[in-house]
Amino acid sequence: MPRYFFHLRNGDDVLIDPDGRDIASLSEVAAITLREARDIISHDALEGCIRLDFRLDIQNAMGGIVHTLAFRDAITVILGGREKRID
């Protein structure tokens, strides 16, 4: 089973995933990435500050980036009954 590493990035800063995870398919990688991003965002919300300038870069065992998810793309913000895109 392929191993993937979930690296958390904010500009030039990076929190490296040294262990990675064995995941069967890229579609499962995408689903796990979305769940991980939302988990981090929800934890941040409990602390009172949501950082949408983060992203998760998923790297395969060969060192290639196979999936990226910006936190701003992991959620929808609704203000005053209208959906708002966060740029």
Side-chain angles (χ1 to χ4, degrees):
M1 191 174 305
R3 182 163 290 261
Y4 297 96
F5 301 85
F6 289 68
H7 305 309
L8 180 62
R9 296 187 190 272
N10 174 13
D12 293 331
D13 295 331
V14 62
L15 179 61
I16 298 292
D17 173 4
D19 301 321
R21 302 180 209 177
D22 295 329
I23 302 172
S25 69
L26 282 177
S27 62
E28 191 176 348
V29 166
I32 291 169
T33 303
L34 181 59
R35 193 168 49 246
E36 290 289 328
R38 288 178 174 170
D39 185 54
I40 294 167
I41 291 166
S42 64
H43 179 268
D44 289 349
L46 290 172
E47 298 296 318
C49 181
I50 298 174
R51 298 287 310 262
L52 296 179
D53 55 341
F54 285 8
R55 75 176 191 269
L56 284 168
D57 286 339
I58 313 312
Q59 185 178 36
N60 64 19
M62 304 284 285
I65 300 296
V66 297
H67 186 69
T68 296
L69 179 66
F71 280 24
R72 69 179 173 274
D73 295 331
I75 62 166
T76 300
V77 176
I78 298 175
L79 300 171
R82 297 176 61 186
E83 187 175 311
K84 178 166 175 61
R85 175 90 176 136
I86 304 296
D87 293 320

